[in-house]
């Protein structure tokens, strides 16, 4: 059995005739947080969407817990145990907070079993349970999006830009929550905010122009100013 | 919140205007009652075509132009089962016309559902990413259904002759006789509005459908087979349209023009209510039904008999000028 929960090897993805991913490889070790770093438009979000089967790759392989998943539909991939928190949250605005959580159940009783953990992680959601998702603030919507991915028994969470557009105090809350949940589930994160990424993740993969030129331990990346400058433009 | 308040305010104003017009054009309380009951009757029949159209469009972005043909098929199947000498002659096996009518309605629903599933799974599924092709396909399918009806039942319109309990009954109010059957259709329509509403609001399938209307990609990414939900919703929409045809047939008979006449008005209802809004469709159906009925009354004694035919479109234009997304539509 591999020590990686997810292995993405040399995937190529096209969107509307554009070659977006030109050979991306990512490894996500079991029980760790791995972050995809890179500039805007580098292909980070497409990498997550390709793993999820939303924009399926036409070449390369993706295995989850040793089982090939490329070519499968996104609902089958989700059923196998991958939770997805997309960019801009994609919560259902017309549904209440409770309904947003209920819809994520894969087995009857999933929410009942996980509700204590979810509301401990995000206490605000309990108070807002009967409100429509659209009436929540950006931070609350982000909490709901992450909480929704925690309802079923997932082994891997794909989280796209959890800190995007949030106030610093909410970002801190989100960092603590992701740290907490990573004790039970592996996480692959897209994060533009290098400070947040370096605080959260143990491993990194740099995505640049649809390729993955570097990956390793984040503790090594923090010391490598040349790499940071070249690919992330962070001083 | 404010938008919702404005929507309801518009609805209240339109209903009030229609009631006042109905009162002004009526010469007695009895004829006013007939206008309202007739409006509700037409509104409920419209709802039965428009509800499927609306939910299917909201979830799948498919404007099913065959919806009227399903209404027509429902009328023919119900007529056939109810009357002697048809394709399916059950008069000997079920001599009681009341029980036969129940079977006629169930038969129509089953045929509508079966043909709906056939269209969605067999033809429409490969075209989900091609909206223009979908329009052409569903329109073409409606023509095919009409040709099948012509081949099976001929082009001659059928008038419902077989009487049964509620079809024969009348009751009196304000000195006027009202048909019990019209009241039954209104009751059945309201019951269906509530049942579909409960299905959408209180069940897991309903939550999935409402979520799918907002973001089907995310629904799929949560592990839900959205294609199965598409089939279910499309089938349900066609079955409800066929049910509409079946319960309209005792009053309107069965003819090949029945479906298209309702389809145009149903499309107006869906746009008026707000594309994809189930509640909006229910309210708009009643509004349009009442407006047609009031227009029929107003047109009596004038040279403008076509007023009732153009009323749905006039109402649509008026509402879209005030609310471009329809009464309860989102601006997606």
């Amino acid at each position: 059995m591999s020590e990686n929960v997810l292995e993405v090897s040399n995937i190529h993805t096209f969107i509307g005739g554009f070659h977006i991913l030109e050979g991306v490889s990512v490894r996500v070790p079991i029980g760790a947080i791995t972050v995809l770093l890179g500039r805007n438009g580098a292909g980070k979000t497409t990498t997550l969407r390709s793993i999820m089967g939303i924009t399926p790759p036409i070449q390369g392989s993706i295995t989850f817990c040793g089982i090939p998943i490329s070519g499968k539909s996104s609902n089958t991939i989700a059923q196998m145990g991958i939770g997805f928190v997309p960019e801009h949250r994609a919560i259902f605005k017309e549904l209440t907070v409770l309904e947003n959580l209920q819809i994520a159940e894969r087995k009857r009783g999933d929410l009942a079993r996980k509700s204590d953990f979810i509301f401990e992680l995000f206490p605000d959601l309990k108070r807002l349970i009967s409100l429509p998702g659209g009436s929540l603030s950006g931070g609350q919507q982000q909490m709901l999006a992450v909480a929704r991915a925690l309802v079923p028994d997932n082994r891997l969470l794909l989280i796209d830009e959890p800190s995007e557009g949030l106030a610093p105090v909410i970002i801190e809350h989100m960092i603590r929550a992701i740290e907490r949940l990573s004790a039970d589930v592996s996480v692959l994160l897209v994060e533009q905010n290098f400070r947040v990424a370096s605080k959260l993740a143990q491993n990194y993969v740099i995505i640049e122009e649809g390729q993955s030129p570097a990956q390793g331990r984040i503790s090594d990346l923090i010391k490598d100013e040349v790499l940071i400058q070249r690919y992330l433009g962070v001083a | 919140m404010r938008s919702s308040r404005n929507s309801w305010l518009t609805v209240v104003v339109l209903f009030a205007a229609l009631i006042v017009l109905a009162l002004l054009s009526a010469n007695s309380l009895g004829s006013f009652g007939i206008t309202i009951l007739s409006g509700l009757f037409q509104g409920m029949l419209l709802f039965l075509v428009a509800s499927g159209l609306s939910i299917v469009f909201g979830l799948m972005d498919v404007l099913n132009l065959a919806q009227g043909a399903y209404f027509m098929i429902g009328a023919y199947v119900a007529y056939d089962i109810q009357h002697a000498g048809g394709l399916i002659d059950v008069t000997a096996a079920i001599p009681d016309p009341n029980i036969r009518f129940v079977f006629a309605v169930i038969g129509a629903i089953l045929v509508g559902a079966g043909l709906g599933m056939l269209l969605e799974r067999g033809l429409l599924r490969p075209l989900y990413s091609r909206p223009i092709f979908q329009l052409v396909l569903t329109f073409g399918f409606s023509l095919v259904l009409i040709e099948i009806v012509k081949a099976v039942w001929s082009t001659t319109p059928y008038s419902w002759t077989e009487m049964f309990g509620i079809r024969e009954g009348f009751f009196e109010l304000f000195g006027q006789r009202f048909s019990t059957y019209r009241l039954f259709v209104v009751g059945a329509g309201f019951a269906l509005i509530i049942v579909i509403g409960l299905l959408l609001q209180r069940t897991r399938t309903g939550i999935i459908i409402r979520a799918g209307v907002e973001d089907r990609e995310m629904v799929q990414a949560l592990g839900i087979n959205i294609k199965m939900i598409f089939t279910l919703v499309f089938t349900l929409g066609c079955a409800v349209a066929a049910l509409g045809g079946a319960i309209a047939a005792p009053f309107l008979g069965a003819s090949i023009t029945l479906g298209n006449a309702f389809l145009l008005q149903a499309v107006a209802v869906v746009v008026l209510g707000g594309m994809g809004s189930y509640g909006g469709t229910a309210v708009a159906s009643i509004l349009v039904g009442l407006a047609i009925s009031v227009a029929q009354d107003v047109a009596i004694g004038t040279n403008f008999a076509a007023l009732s035919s153009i009323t749905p479109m006039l109402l649509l234009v008026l509402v879209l000028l005030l609310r471009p997304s329809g009464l309860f539509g989102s601006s997606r």
Side-chain angles (χ1 to χ4, degrees):
Chain A
M1 173 91 183
S2 164
E3 61 190 23
N4 297 319
V5 66
L6 181 81
E7 288 189 27
V8 177
S9 302
N10 195 31
I11 58 167
H12 290 250
T13 300
F14 286 77
I15 299 176
F18 294 100
H19 197 169
I20 306 296
L21 301 186
E22 303 175 13
V24 165
S25 297
V26 176
R27 286 186 303 277
V28 180
I30 293 172
I33 300 179
T34 302
V35 64
L36 299 183
L37 296 166
R39 294 188 174 91
N40 271 339
K44 304 182 295 298
T45 293
T46 306
T47 302
L48 291 196
R49 289 171 64 85
S50 295
I51 294 166
M52 215 46 226
I54 297 169
T55 51
I58 58 151
Q59 198 185 315
S61 74
I62 306 173
T63 57
F64 172 64
C65 297
I67 302 165
I69 59 168
S70 37
K72 294 189 189 301
S73 61
S74 59
N75 64 302
T76 308
I77 292 169
Q79 286 283 354
M80 292 172 79
I82 302 183
F84 184 43
V85 182
E87 200 180 13
H88 311 308
R89 295 117 199 181
I91 62 143
F92 303 111
K93 294 185 170 61
E94 302 286 326
L95 268 55
T96 64
V97 169
L98 179 63
E99 288 171 334
N100 265 281
L101 296 173
Q102 282 173 333
I103 196 175
E105 282 189 312
R106 287 194 201 125
K107 292 195 298 282
R108 194 179 284 272
D110 270 350
L111 182 58
R113 277 189 301 109
K114 299 285 188 69
S115 59
D116 285 348
F117 175 64
I118 288 171
F119 294 135
E120 197 189 319
L121 218 52
F122 305 114
D124 276 4
L125 294 182
K126 198 170 189 174
R127 182 171 55 83
L128 306 165
I129 200 83
S130 57
L131 289 183
S135 67
L136 271 51
S137 69
Q140 290 163 342
Q141 288 189 1
Q142 186 65 62
M143 289 174 200
L144 179 56
V146 175
R148 188 174 59 186
L150 296 176
V151 172
D153 290 323
N154 284 319
R155 297 175 71 176
L156 171 67
L157 291 190
L158 309 180
I159 308 179
D160 199 348
E161 300 270 15
S163 71
E164 189 194 23
L166 302 185
V169 63
I170 307 289
I171 293 176
E172 287 303 320
H173 186 119
M174 198 53 72
I175 289 173
R176 283 198 300 276
I178 293 172
E179 273 172 346
R180 262 296 302 279
L181 66 88
S182 70
D184 301 315
V185 60
S186 310
V187 177
L188 177 60
L189 200 68
V190 165
E191 185 53 70
Q192 286 271 19
N193 186 330
F194 185 65
R195 193 188 62 82
V196 172
S198 57
K199 222 170 172 179
L200 262 176
Q202 290 90 48
N203 305 296
Y204 74 92
V205 179
I206 288 177
I207 307 287
E208 174 75 8
E209 293 182 352
Q211 295 179 329
S212 47
Q215 54 188 297
R217 303 280 304 166
I218 200 114
S219 50
D220 297 333
L221 177 68
I222 292 168
K223 293 177 213 153
D224 193 336
E225 284 186 15
V226 177
L227 205 60
I228 292 174
Q229 270 292 351
R230 186 190 303 164
Y231 292 117
L232 308 176
V234 180
Chain B
M1 198 62 87
R2 193 172 159 188
S3 168
S4 166
R5 205 169 48 229
N6 288 343
S7 297
W8 281 111
L9 191 67
T10 313
V11 169
V12 169
V13 168
L14 288 171
F15 269 117
L18 287 172
I19 299 289
V20 170
L21 264 175
L23 275 170
L24 290 175
S25 62
N27 47 25
S28 66
L29 267 180
S31 65
F32 169 74
I34 286 180
T35 305
I36 298 298
L37 189 61
S38 168
L40 290 174
F41 173 76
Q42 297 196 55
M44 289 309 151
L45 293 182
L46 272 175
F47 170 77
L48 294 172
V49 183
S51 57
L53 206 62
S54 168
I55 299 174
V56 165
F57 180 81
L59 179 69
M60 301 158 67
D61 282 343
V62 172
L63 189 60
N64 178 17
L65 293 181
Q67 194 79 359
Y70 284 92
F71 186 86
M72 172 199 69
I73 285 279
Y76 273 98
V77 171
Y79 180 92
D80 193 285
I81 294 175
Q82 185 77 21
H83 292 79
L87 207 62
I88 314 159
D89 194 340
V90 292
T91 46
I94 313 168
D96 185 337
N98 294 300
I99 298 173
R100 211 157 58 240
F101 182 64
V102 174
F103 274 88
V105 171
I106 293 171
I109 292 172
L110 291 178
V111 170
L115 287 171
M117 193 183 280
L118 177 78
L119 174 58
E120 197 279 333
R121 296 204 70 157
L123 302 170
L124 205 54
R125 199 170 267 196
L127 300 176
Y128 276 137
S129 54
R130 298 175 170 181
I132 302 294
F133 284 52
Q134 292 164 8
L135 279 180
V136 175
L137 176 77
T138 56
F139 180 67
F141 195 75
S142 75
L143 296 180
V144 170
L145 287 182
I146 289 172
E147 290 306 315
I148 290 172
V149 164
K150 281 182 188 170
V152 175
W153 287 290
S154 86
T155 52
T156 315
Y158 292 92
S159 293
W160 194 278
T161 51
E162 171 82 51
M163 286 299 152
F164 54 96
I166 47 171
R167 176 68 182 88
E168 288 175 300
F170 286 92
F171 66 98
E172 262 193 36
L173 195 68
F174 305 124
Q176 291 276 349
R177 290 180 85 206
F178 289 86
S179 157
T180 316
Y181 191 73
R182 279 186 186 236
L183 203 63
F184 160 73
V185 171
V186 172
F190 274 115
L192 208 69
I193 288 176
I194 293 167
V195 167
I196 297 177
L198 286 175
L199 171 84
L200 289 173
Q201 294 296 327
R202 299 286 168 87
T203 66
R204 178 169 167 79
T205 306
I207 293 175
I208 293 170
I209 292 171
R210 284 187 291 134
V213 168
E214 279 194 59
D215 187 345
R216 56 189 177 198
E217 185 180 279
M218 191 60 225
V219 170
Q220 180 102 335
L222 287 172
I224 294 159
N225 186 349
I226 198 81
K227 284 183 183 165
M228 219 167 74
I229 301 293
F230 281 4
T231 306
L232 177 76
V233 167
F234 198 89
T235 304
L236 183 71
C238 294
V240 171
L243 163 68
I247 63 173
F251 237 88
L252 305 176
S255 69
I256 51 170
T257 56
L258 190 63
N260 285 340
F262 271 89
L263 178 69
L264 278 177
Q265 293 176 352
V267 170
V269 161
V270 172
V271 179
L272 185 68
M275 302 291 276
S277 162
Y278 170 76
T281 301
V283 171
S285 299
I286 299 170
L287 258 178
V288 170
L290 279 177
I292 292 172
S293 179
V294 171
Q296 280 165 347
D297 256 20
V298 170
I300 292 173
T302 69
N303 287 330
F304 202 23
L307 182 66
S308 64
S309 318
I310 61 167
T311 296
M313 294 304 160
L314 288 176
L315 194 61
L316 179 63
V317 170
L318 175 71
V319 170
L320 291 186
L321 282 173
L322 296 169
R323 302 186 63 78
S325 303
L327 287 171
F328 295 93
S330 61
S331 53
R332 69 180 185 143

